[in-house]
Amino acid sequence: SGTALTVTQAAQSAITSLGTLTTLTVDDITINGSTISDGGNDFLIDVGGDIALDAGAGSINLKDGGTQFAALVNNSSDFIIRSNVSDKDIIFQGNDGGSAATTVLTLDMSDAGTAIFNHDINLADNGKLQLGSASGGDCQIVHDGTNTIIHNTTGDLIIRDTAGDIKIQAKSGEDSIIANDDGSVQLFHDDTARLETTSYGAYVTNELRCGTD
């Protein structure tokens, strides 16, 4: 209660209730209801402590020119990073040796979120690459600190090449088995071919010994 205050030579001269203004403009910043706007310049928030964004509805919406393109969402304490524009990717970038816009990971939202990494994927010992929808994966690839294990639990394990041969090397640079495209299968001993399948059967280099010893 009381008499309304009049501020002379002000754009809004009458303050009609205690401590309340319908609109307040300071320099090029305007506060109107729940909206803070400026004159088209950059907007800087500089505080000595932390900045807290507290959205009671659980969503912090990011917009450009009034159109929402992303959101940070609290969903039952799960943190969701959401891209709102159809088929637009989520891209992670960092500074790699001075290149400030190096893309390190792209989530392709036009392909159900296919992850495209720019470089290596490193898993610690016993960290598993799990493939498939079964619990624990239908196929696991893991290095246990000593050995590398490929463990398939559903269907057949198929190794396929459509551009050349399949080679298994027990030692770097030395072939153990070669499955040739539309051709023979070769078995090696110490990088020397000893048995090779042919269209009529098999060919053995030097001797084929059979025995119980």
Side-chain angles (χ1 to χ4, degrees), residues 70-84:
L72 306 176
V73 180
N74 172 25
N75 182 14
S76 300
S77 295
D78 290 331
F79 179 41
I80 298 175
I81 300 174
R82 177 183 298 153
S83 174
N84 289 84

Side-chain angles (χ1 to χ4, degrees), residues 24-199:
L24 175 64
T25 299
V26 178
D27 199 0
D28 59 351
I29 302 296
T30 299
I31 303 174
N32 185 359
S34 60
T35 301
I36 301 175
S37 59
D38 73 336
N41 300 311
D42 294 338
F43 186 61
L44 173 66
I45 300 176
D46 187 358
V47 300
D50 298 331
I51 295 175
L53 302 178
D54 189 349
S59 180
I60 298 173
N61 300 319
L62 305 178
K63 298 182 178 183
D64 185 357
T67 300
Q68 183 172 336
F69 65 90
L72 306 176
V73 180
N74 172 25
N75 182 14
S76 300
S77 295
D78 290 331
F79 179 41
I80 298 175
I81 300 174
R82 177 183 298 153
S83 174
N84 289 84
V85 182
S86 178
D87 291 338
K88 299 305 290 183
D89 300 338
I90 299 176
I91 300 173
F92 295 84
Q93 293 187 339
N95 189 323
D96 183 7
S99 180
T102 300
T103 296
V104 296
L105 171 62
T106 299
L107 303 181
D108 186 353
M109 299 313 302
S110 66
D111 192 34
T114 294
I116 304 170
F117 291 87
N118 185 55
H119 207 260
D120 300 335
I121 301 173
N122 293 328
L123 299 178
D125 286 343
N126 295 305
K128 298 177 181 179
L129 176 61
Q130 298 180 340
L131 309 173
S133 57
S135 177
D138 297 306
C139 178
Q140 296 180 355
I141 302 175
V142 60
H143 184 76
D144 63 6
T146 303
N147 302 306
T148 298
I149 303 165
I150 301 175
H151 183 199
N152 182 62
T153 60
T154 304
D156 299 326
L157 177 61
I158 299 173
I159 301 174
R160 177 184 295 140
D161 184 277
T162 59
D165 306 327
I166 294 176
K167 296 185 177 184
I168 297 177
Q169 296 184 340
K171 180 180 179 181
S172 178
E174 293 189 3
D175 294 323
S176 300
I177 301 174
I178 298 178
N180 294 291
D181 181 18
D182 287 334
S184 65
V185 175
Q186 297 171 277
L187 299 181
F188 291 75
H189 175 79
D190 195 16
D191 203 32
T192 299
R194 292 302 186 190
L195 188 148
E196 181 176 357
T197 64
T198 66
S199 60

